[in-house]
Amino acid sequence: MIHTEFIGRLVNNPELKKITTKAGEEKSVANITLAVNRLYSDKVDYVDATVWGKQAEHLVEGNSKGSRVSIIGNFETDVFEKEDGTKVKNYNVNVDTIQFLDRKIERNVEQEAEQNELER
């Protein structure tokens, strides 16, 4: 198991989907792609990730394309063969924890505005 952390910006607006598990439970899921800047470089890497449950619901509620998020999770590789015989590798982070970095900034700005109103 490879545990990893990435900080980046959402490439697209996150979309929430509902799936039914083998046990018959309904779960929320959101598949996202993060644009992650490389340290000391102008290059950008794109990281695919899957967010589950309430975290997926919160992700979709208050974030959109360009929002900054931090994800921590398990890095997984899936290898399969296409019909033409070529092998394909997919890389994905199965998210354990997600933080919404832009929301904290917005919340702090709102709190400061409220504090300024109270002081007037």
Side-chain angles (χ1 to χ4, degrees):
M1 177 181 345
I2 303 172
H3 205 69
T4 187
E5 178 176 3
F6 292 99
I7 296 174
R9 295 196 179 272
L10 294 172
V11 173
N12 296 309
N13 291 329
E15 292 183 28
L16 188 68
K17 295 179 183 175
K18 299 284 186 175
I19 64 164
T20 304
T21 65
K22 291 178 184 177
E25 299 176 53
E26 189 175 80
K27 269 193 157 181
S28 299
V29 63
N31 293 308
I32 60 172
T33 301
L34 290 183
V36 179
N37 292 324
R38 288 191 189 178
L39 195 58
Y40 309 117
S41 173
D42 292 338
K43 295 183 180 179
V44 175
D45 291 304
Y46 295 93
V47 178
D48 292 329
T50 305
V51 185
W52 295 92
K54 291 287 183 191
Q55 291 185 115
E57 293 171 13
H58 292 305
L59 169 69
V60 173
E61 286 172 6
N63 294 280
S64 59
K65 179 179 178 179
S67 295
R68 246 179 87 216
V69 298
S70 168
I71 59 171
I72 300 172
N74 297 312
F75 188 77
E76 301 171 345
T77 305
D78 184 27
V79 180
F80 63 93
E81 195 170 304
K82 292 167 97 175
E83 288 181 17
D84 65 3
T86 58
K87 288 188 178 180
V88 177
K89 287 185 183 179
N90 283 337
Y91 303 97
N92 189 67
V93 176
N94 195 12
V95 176
D96 294 324
T97 305
I98 186 166
Q99 291 182 322
F100 310 114
L101 303 176
D102 287 342
R103 282 184 171 178
K104 290 181 182 177
I105 294 168
E106 291 171 9
R107 203 173 303 131
N108 289 340
V109 169
E110 289 172 6
Q111 288 172 351
E112 288 176 14
E114 289 174 7
Q115 185 64 30
N116 289 338
E117 285 295 317
L118 292 175
E119 291 175 358
R120 287 185 190 173

